[in-house]
Amino acid sequence: MHKYFTTTGIWKITLVIILAFSTIFTKAEPINTADNIIAKHIGPAIGGAMFAIAIDPNNKNNIFFSGDMGVVYHTINGGDTWDIVPGMNRIRSIKFDPNNTNIIWAVGSTGVYKSIDGGSNWNYSFQTYRAFNYTLGAIAIDPTDSNIIYVAEGFVPYLRLTHIRGRVFKSTDGGATWISLARPGGANPSQDSIYNRNYSTIIIDPNSTYTPGEGHSDVYLMGRDGLFKTENAGSSWNNITFFDEGQGSDLILINDNNQSILFSSVIPINNHAKKGIYKSIDNGITWQESNSGLDTIINALYIRNHDIRNNAQFSLMLAHSASDKNKIYVGSWQGIAKSTNQGQTWTQTTPAETPYIQHNSGAYVQVPLNNHPNQTETFLGGIDNFIKMTTSDSDSNFVIFGDNQDIHFSTDGGVTWKSRTFDYTTSFVNPTDVFPGLPNGSPKNRYTHKIKSRGVQGLVNTDVAVDPFNSNIYYATYMDVGLEISRDGGETWEHPSQGIPPRGHAWSVVVDPNNNGVVWVSIGWNGKIYKSTDHGVSWSDVGIDVSSTGKVTDMIFDAQSNTLYASSETKGIFKTTNNGQSWQNIFTNGTFDIKIDLANNNILYAGTKTGLYKSINGGSSWTQLASDKMGKVYNISVGTNNTIYVISNKAGEYSSWNNRDLWVSSNQGVSFSNITPSFMHKIGGVAVTPNNPQHLYISASEGNQRYIDERIIMAQSWDGGLTWENLVNNFAFALGSDIYINPNDSQHVFFNTQFSLIEVKNSTLQANAGPDINHTVTASNSAVHLVGTAIDPNNNIVKYEWFNGTTFIGTGASRWYVLTEDGTHTLTLKVTDANGNVASDTMVVNVNHQGATQTGTLTANAGPDINHTVTASNQQIHLNGILTVGSSPIVKQEWFKDGVKVWTGSSAWYTLVTPGDYNFEFRVTAEDGSVASDTMVVTVVTVTP
C-alpha cells in the first residue's frame, strides 16, 4: 500500500481480495523453497465470529474451532496454545467421529474435508466450488457405521444466504463417493434460482431402525426455515415444522435409556409465533413448550428480532453432554441458562445485560466489569451475539460457546467464563484516563492492558509499519478493531485510546522518518486521519473532509519535501505539506494505491479502478499509462533504476474476480512488459526491495479463487521475476492484501491477510557493516562514522566488534574511527549472539587527506536555546547535538538535564510539559579520555486549553 519515501525507499502494496488458502504448493512447478526462512502469525489475537467448535468426546483438551474468515484452529492442551491448521478454507462445521476420534470431518463453502490422523493432515472428500456454488454448514456421522455421513447446505441460523438451495448429500463409503438426496420440502430443480433453505443442524437418531449400508432410518434437519425428518435414511423427507411464524435455530437429541428426546429452539419473531425451547418425546410428532425460567432471555430476543425478519437475527443455541442426560445449556445474546432436570426448569448462569462503560471519547464500549463477575477474563466481558455452543461428552461441566468476538470456556457448568485464545498482560495506560468512571479494582480490558495471543489470529489486517527509530515497534491496522501497536516486536499488543476512536475500521498507517515519534493512521469511512507525535500514545484529528472523502485507503510520506499523500477510494489523492493543517485535492480519480518515484519525488504513480496514472509535477497534472494493457490497478511498487512493478486486471476488466497480471517497466512507465508467471493465476501483492530492483516478494494463487484447487504462495524472486522460490511450505495463510518490507532489513517482510498479519524473517544471524565510504579528511572531519546493523531472529545479539584488517578497533554497533593513512581500508563488523553464533560483513573506506595536516579539535554543540510551547500534540523537544572529532575516536555522546543524565546518543526526543527553564548539556567523550560539552536552555510554557 504505502509507507514513507526516502532516497532509499520503502514500499508497500494494496489490494482487497477474498480469502482462500490451502497447503502451499503441492504441484510440480518451476519454484523452489527458500532456505533459512521462518514465518509466523502475529497480532492481537481474536476478534471475529466463531462458527464451528468441536471437542474430542474422549479428550476435552483436544479442540478445533473455526472463525468467520474460515480459518481452523487446533489445541491439544485445552487452549493453552493453538495452531492454525494449514489447508483449510471457510469451514462452518467440524465433527469428531464418535467411533474413532482420529477421524475428523469439516465442511464449509469449498466442500468436505476429512482427516484420519487426528487433524495432522486433511484431504478433500467432496469438492463444491468446482461444480457448484454453495456452502455446506451441517454434518452428521452415523453412530453405528462411521462410513455413513450426511452433509447439508446451510450456515448459522441467524443468517440467510441467497445462494443456498437446501441440498443434502450422503456418503456410505467414508466419503469416497457422495450422492445427492431428495430435497426436504420437495424443491423443484427448475426453481433453483429462487429456492432457499438453510440447515445448521443434522441429527441422526441412534434409536431408530438400522440397516447395514444405509444407516439409521431417522434423520432430522433443522434450520431457520423449518424442521424436516426422514424415516428412510434420506430417500424422502417430511416437513415436521411445528413453529408457525417463528424461526428455527437449533436441535439436540438426548439418548435417555434408548429413548430419543428432542429439544428444539425457536427464535422469537412476533408475539403470535412460537418462541423459546420445545421438547418432543415422540420423535417430533408433538412438541411441548419448555421455557420455565427463560422469560428474560426470550422476551429480550423478541424485542431485538421481531422487526428485522429475514435480516440479522439473534440465535438461541442448545448444547448437552452425553455424560449427563439431564443437563442442558441454552445460550443467546441475552445470556446463558442451564437446566439440570431435562428442561423442566432453567436457571440463568450469566447476567442478561451486556457491560458498557463510557470511553474518554464519549462513546460507550464493552469491557469486563466487576458487576458482570462471571465473564471478567474475556474480550468484552459479555456476549456479542451468540453463534455456537458445545459441551464435552466426557465432562458435562466443560462448555464452550462462540460469539462475534471470541470463544469462551467454562469448566464449572456455565457459572464462570474465560477466554483461552489470549491473555491480558501489563497495563499500558492509567485505566481511569481511558474510562473516567471505571470502578476501582475493575478487571483488565483491551483498552488499558496489553494482549498476548496464544496462537490464534482472526482479524482482517489492512496495514503495518515498523518504526524506523525503534525496530521493535510495529503499528498494525485492522478492519474490525482499529489500530494496534506492539512495542516488543509483535509479542504483545496495545490498543491506543487517547484522542482516537476506541474501535473502528483502520486502513492505513505510516511513520514519519524525519521526526522520531510521528505516526499517521487513517480510520473510518469518512476520511479521518489521526496523527501522533509520541509513538502512538496520544493522537489528534488531522482529517481531510469528513463529509465527502470516503475511506483513506493508502498513505505515503515524502521525507524529502515533508509531504504526506493520502488516497481516497472515492475522491482521489490529497496532500498536506503542513502536518495536516490543510489539505489539497491533487487527483480526483478514486485511488487505491499511490507511490513516489525513487529518483524524482515530483513523479507520482496512482493505481485506480480505471488504470495506472502518472504525474511528473507533484500531482498538478496526470497522464494515464498503458491503457491498452491495464484495467483496474491493485498494486504499485517502485524500485531503483527507474523500475516499476504493477498488478492489474487486463485492459477493460475491473473486477477483483478477474485474473491479474504482473507488469514491469524499466523506464518510469514509458513501456511495460508482462512478467506474470504461468503458474500464478491471481496475484495479491508485490513488493520490490529498496536497493535491489531485481529482488521481489509476491503473494499469489495457482488456481481460480472460486475453485478449491487453488494454492496460495508467498514467494521471492532475485532476478526480476524470471524465477521464483517459495518462502514457506505447509503454512496457513490467505491471499495477501499488502506486503511491507522493514526499512532496516530487506529480508524482514510482512504479509497482510484477511485473518492475520504474517511476519517472515531470515532465520540466520546476519551482519551489515553498511555501505562503502569515500572519506575526505579535513581539520574538522578527521573520523568516519561506522554504523553497523545486525539481524537476529531471536533478538539475542550480545556483541558488535569492528576490525581494520586484523587490528581490533572497538565494540559497539556505532562508533567513530580515525584513519590516518590515505588509500583503501577494509573494515569488518563481527556480531555474536547469545548462543555463540558469529556473522560478519565488510565495508571499504577510501581515505584522501587532500594535504590536510591538522587532526581537528574535539568540540560539542548543543544547539540554540529553545522556547517550547506545550500543546496536546506538541509535548516533546528535539535534542540534536553536533560534534567535531579530534585525534581520538568518539566513545560516548550524552545529554543531561539539570545535571541528571537523560539520554545516550546525539539525538533524542524528550517530553517536557511543566512550565519553567531547564538547562541541558550535550557532552562528548573521546577514546583518549578527552571531553567536550556545550549547554542550552529550554523554556517551557503551557497553552491553557
Side-chain angles (χ1 to χ4, degrees), residues 625-644:
L625 304 178
S627 59
D628 59 330
K629 294 180 172 65
M630 301 181 193
K632 182 178 180 179
V633 171
Y634 298 88
N635 300 129
I636 308 166
S637 188
V638 182
T640 55
N641 299 337
N642 301 322
T643 304
I644 311 167

Side-chain angles (χ1 to χ4, degrees), residues 859-864 882 895 920-924 932-936:
T859 65
N861 184 350
I882 301 172
W895 279 96
F920 282 83
E921 177 192 1
F922 177 52
R923 186 183 303 170
V924 182
S933 66
D934 187 38
T935 61
M936 48 93 85

Side-chain angles (χ1 to χ4, degrees), residues 153-196:
E153 282 190 277
F155 204 36
V156 292
Y158 67 88
L159 291 177
R160 181 190 295 274
L161 301 184
T162 58
H163 65 267
I164 288 179
R165 304 288 185 260
R167 287 166 283 209
V168 184
F169 302 89
K170 180 180 180 180
S171 174
T172 59
D173 53 13
T177 61
W178 295 84
I179 60 172
S180 180
L181 300 178
R183 297 195 196 187
N188 184 345
S190 66
Q191 297 178 343
D192 269 1
S193 61
I194 61 173
Y195 191 80
N196 184 298

Side-chain angles (χ1 to χ4, degrees), residues 461-477:
N461 180 250
T462 55
D463 199 6
V464 66
V466 177
D467 196 309
F469 297 95
N470 183 343
S471 59
N472 283 319
I473 300 179
Y474 299 170
Y475 305 93
T477 55

Side-chain angles (χ1 to χ4, degrees), residues 638-655:
V638 182
T640 55
N641 299 337
N642 301 322
T643 304
I644 311 167
Y645 293 91
V646 179
I647 296 173
S648 76
N649 294 140
K650 298 184 185 302
E653 295 181 355
Y654 309 104
S655 170

